[in-house]
Amino acid sequence: MSTDRTRPAGRRDQSGPRSAPSGPRSASNGPRPTSSGPRSVPPQRSRRLQPHRPQRPHQWFAERLLAVLSGQRPVHWMLGHTIGEAYDQLAELAPSTPLRAAHGSRPVLRHCRGAQPATGVVEAFASIAAGDRVRAMAFRLEQGADQRWRCAAVELGGERLTAGAPGPR
């Protein structure tokens, strides 16, 4: 068992955690080692240039629905996040994994937008890229008395159109 408490378990390098410079170095810290003489160090940028915005409920649900409908997660993963017939719709859609991409590529959420037609209701749509296909997904969220959002309906669309083939009429 290691007695070094600054190094995470499994870490193989011998260096410890580094701290950001907090101003001029004092003599007790010692001079900073340099290999080719003095050099200017650019100021470190903050990771967040803008204040962190929490993810909107429709974006969060779109990611979860994508995971279920692409086969990455089981349907029961959404059990506590659905109401009404939405779970039945997911249970019917999920076994065929309609959003699974061909050739092992992972489907990606391209766009997700939502509208709020009434207080406590969000109707959202998303476009999903899965390999060379782009599919559409629409869903409805309703906010319960406990202030939690739950999915109330899910629909998939976006039949693949091939070049030169006539589209649906």
Side-chain angles (χ1 to χ4, degrees):
M1 182 165 161
S2 174
T3 59
D4 185 2
R5 294 179 187 253
T6 61
R7 188 177 313 127
R11 186 168 172 175
R12 291 187 176 90
D13 65 342
Q14 295 300 314
S15 63
R18 294 198 169 100
S19 61
S22 60
R25 291 207 171 251
S26 65
S28 64
N29 289 345
R32 185 182 305 182
T34 58
S35 57
S36 60
R39 62 180 174 161
S40 65
V41 177
Q44 291 185 354
R45 286 185 155 177
S46 171
R47 282 189 176 183
R48 295 184 197 163
L49 298 177
Q50 298 176 351
H52 176 68
R53 285 189 204 158
Q55 198 173 31
R56 294 184 177 171
H58 60 276
Q59 294 166 327
W60 186 83
F61 269 92
E63 291 286 346
R64 290 183 78 90
L65 290 169
L66 174 60
V68 169
L69 295 173
S70 64
Q72 297 171 27
R73 293 285 186 170
V75 180
H76 68 266
W77 193 53
M78 291 292 291
L79 192 56
H81 302 287
T82 56
I83 56 174
E85 295 179 14
Y87 185 79
D88 296 335
Q89 291 170 329
L90 283 175
E92 186 178 313
L93 289 170
S96 64
T97 58
L99 298 180
R100 181 173 297 216
H103 309 296
S105 61
R106 190 173 184 174
V108 178
L109 184 66
R110 291 177 55 191
H111 301 285
C112 183
R113 302 284 188 263
Q116 195 166 9
T119 303
V121 175
V122 173
E123 292 180 347
F125 64 92
S127 65
I128 295 153
D132 62 344
R133 299 180 73 180
V134 176
R135 300 287 307 266
M137 176 174 61
F139 54 98
R140 179 182 173 98
L141 302 177
E142 295 179 3
Q143 192 172 29
D146 60 357
Q147 300 302 308
R148 291 182 54 201
W149 290 95
R150 291 181 179 86
C151 185
V154 180
E155 289 187 21
L156 291 178
E159 292 299 321
R160 183 178 180 186
L161 299 175
T162 57
R169 295 180 192 240

